[in-house]
Amino acid sequence: MTMSSAPQPAAESRPDDPESLEAAAFVEEAAGNEDPPAPITGVGRLLGWIIPANLGIFLIWGAVPGILLPRQVELTFGSADKVANLAIVMTIGAFCAMIAQPIAGQISDRTRSRFGRRAPWIFLGALAGGLSLVGLAFADSLVGVVIAWTLVQITYNFAQGPLSAVMPDRVPLKRRGTFAALSGIGLMVGALGGQVVGSMFYDSLTAGYFTFAAIAIVVLTLFIVFNPDHSSKDLPVEPFKLGDFLRTFWVNPVKHPDFFWAFTGRLLLYTGYFAVTGYQLFLLTDYFGVERPQDVIPLLGLISLAGILIATVVSGPLSDKLGRRKIFVFASSVVTGLAFLLPWVWPDVTAWMIMIFISGLGFGMFQAVDTALMSEVLPSAKSFAKDLGVVNIAATLPQTLAPGVAGAIVLAFGFAGLFPVAIVLSVLGAFAVWPIRAVR
């Protein structure tokens, strides 16, 4: 006798392989100081690909605000008001970037797809960013430049925010110093290489914008293809509460003191650093009297790159070996701040070159270790990208404040007034890391 089986209800869609189950459990339960599931293609491949991924984005951050945009402002609106016009453009754009990255992180954390939580936004951000750069290339009014640059900032932060969450998502704690060092190499080589390559487009701005847009799209797409993530389509989605999201913009020093102090240290150092370096082009022409800055900038980029690479290659892996982060972050902030003494007391381009190398040592050490430190004080895997977006306000807020504040300092005291401000802020940033308890 044949028994007919009753129709069975459709199985609920859920991950059924051990790796997917482990990844889902990590997102639901873990914090930043816990090891994540192993990446699908291994940590080694991820370590190799983070360099070109960061390079693609930070070539833009090095070339456009440092070279192409100031040159465009000067050519389009004249030299008389170039400082004020650039301050307007940079301040508005950076403010929007500051808001964009936590929003992008929140959206990424809540994304459910077979490609994971990060890949869709990395790709879409790169594509939309490229289109925004094309728009900037053809902007010929102050309003047009402001709008286009703002779109560039927002769209690339939609790629950069999810990309920054790859470390706490996929990298074990004992490899984070190395990963942060490699990430820092891509970041700083990109930022400085952007200045070098950007100077080659000093008289061909449109070609420069198109070139950097294409590079970012290609390398970020390849990063996604060669480093697939675990599916997130079966993860539960918690109800969105606007009030809770808005409160994340306030770093509570009582509830999360380590997070607060790490944020504060980064904020102070970045503010001091960008107050000076953000005006490099005008410092060269108006403070040091360089007639052809486009000939000097590539050399400066190489000098800085040498310092950064030396510090990054040594300090990141060494911090993993020693199991210590704070001493490296402290030293990097002090070195970076004190480097600004040279051009202040010796207003010569030679002093600027020496300062560029020394600050490169300090900033390279900072980038190699601070990123790892920040990843270890994140509260929850459910919100890594959003929390890192808030952390990165400490990097983008200085870009918001520094152009306006630095512009006011220059107008009131001349370019020499930038240096003592940068020194004080950087040294204060060094002391801000000592109260952190969760990280040695």
Side-chain angles (χ1 to χ4, degrees):
M1 177 172 123
T2 305
M3 297 182 62
S4 62
S5 58
Q8 297 297 317
E12 181 181 352
S13 175
R14 59 184 299 170
D16 53 9
D17 63 279
E19 289 185 352
S20 295
L21 288 169
E22 184 185 4
F26 176 79
V27 172
E28 287 298 304
E29 301 169 4
N33 59 350
E34 299 178 48
D35 282 324
I40 292 173
T41 55
V43 176
R45 181 181 289 187
L46 198 62
L47 290 172
W49 273 98
I50 194 60
I51 296 177
N54 267 351
L55 185 72
I57 293 179
F58 282 90
L59 279 171
I60 294 166
W61 299 145
V64 178
I67 306 295
L68 302 184
L69 189 57
R71 180 63 172 162
Q72 183 176 5
V73 167
E74 186 175 25
L75 289 175
T76 306
F77 312 115
S79 300
D81 299 318
K82 63 183 180 182
V83 172
N85 286 332
L86 182 63
I88 292 170
V89 174
M90 297 282 279
T91 300
I92 295 173
F95 176 80
C96 292
M98 179 184 70
I99 302 299
Q101 197 165 129
I103 294 174
Q106 175 85 333
I107 294 172
S108 174
D109 288 329
R110 299 172 62 84
T111 294
R112 303 294 179 257
S113 79
R114 62 184 292 263
F115 303 106
R117 297 186 291 170
R118 315 303 180 197
W121 297 106
I122 294 173
F123 175 75
L124 291 174
L127 183 61
L131 295 174
S132 300
L133 277 178
V134 171
L136 180 59
F138 295 104
D140 59 1
S141 68
L142 184 60
V143 172
V145 171
V146 167
I147 292 173
W149 176 238
T150 298
L151 289 174
V152 169
Q153 291 271 47
I154 291 172
T155 51
Y156 279 115
N157 272 285
F158 261 79
Q160 186 179 333
L163 181 64
S164 67
V166 167
M167 179 161 60
D169 276 350
R170 308 189 210 177
V171 181
L173 294 172
K174 66 180 181 180
R175 302 295 296 277
R176 288 190 186 175
T178 301
F179 184 88
L182 295 173
S183 178
I185 289 173
L187 185 157
M188 297 308 297
V189 171
L192 295 169
Q195 295 179 23
V196 175
V197 179
S199 66
M200 299 177 184
F201 295 101
Y202 192 78
D203 297 316
S204 305
L205 299 180
T206 300
Y209 285 131
F210 274 76
T211 299
F212 291 113
I215 291 172
I217 291 172
V218 171
V219 296
L220 289 174
T221 300
L222 290 175
F223 175 84
I224 293 167
V225 170
F226 285 99
N227 296 276
D229 197 5
H230 296 285
S231 170
S232 65
K233 64 181 181 180
D234 297 300
L235 290 174
V237 180
E238 296 181 354
F240 175 76
K241 297 179 180 179
L242 180 62
D244 290 343
F245 173 69
L246 293 177
R247 279 191 289 273
T248 64
F249 285 88
W250 162 242
V251 182
N252 192 322
V254 176
K255 189 174 181 181
H256 302 295
D258 289 344
F259 193 71
F260 170 80
W261 285 114
F263 177 94
T264 301
R266 177 177 284 198
L267 177 68
L268 290 167
L269 177 67
Y270 269 76
T271 302
Y273 185 80
F274 283 109
V276 174
T277 60
Y279 277 84
Q280 175 173 260
L281 181 61
F282 297 159
L283 279 165
L284 290 173
T285 56
D286 297 10
Y287 184 67
F288 299 119
V290 176
E291 294 184 0
R292 289 181 55 83
Q294 66 270 33
D295 296 335
V296 178
I297 288 172
L299 176 60
L300 293 173
L302 293 174
I303 292 171
S304 183
L305 182 59
I308 287 169
L309 289 178
I310 292 170
T312 300
V313 169
V314 172
S315 57
L318 185 59
S319 76
D320 279 343
K321 184 176 181 179
L322 297 177
R324 294 181 178 273
R325 313 289 190 202
K326 291 196 297 185
I327 185 63
F328 291 93
V329 176
F330 178 86
S332 68
S333 299
V334 171
V335 169
T336 302
L338 295 181
F340 293 127
L341 274 172
L342 273 171
W344 184 26
V345 300
W346 180 20
D348 185 85
V349 71
T350 303
W352 182 260
M353 291 180 179
I354 299 171
M355 182 278 291
I356 284 291
F357 178 75
I358 297 174
S359 65
L361 289 172
F363 211 72
M365 186 187 301
F366 183 86
Q367 286 294 339
V369 181
D370 183 69
T371 304
L373 183 150
M374 295 299 307
S375 75
E376 295 175 27
V377 297
L378 298 175
S380 171
K382 293 180 181 178
S383 56
F384 276 163
K386 182 262 293 175
D387 291 336
L388 282 170
V390 175
V391 166
N392 284 331
I393 290 176
T396 54
L397 183 60
Q399 296 176 62
T400 305
L401 299 176
V405 173
I409 292 171
V410 170
L411 293 174
F413 305 105
F415 285 102
L418 296 174
F419 300 112
V421 173
I423 293 168
V424 171
L425 291 175
S426 298
V427 172
L428 287 175
F431 285 96
V433 301
W434 283 120
I436 297 175
R437 294 185 177 182
V439 180
R440 296 173 65 195

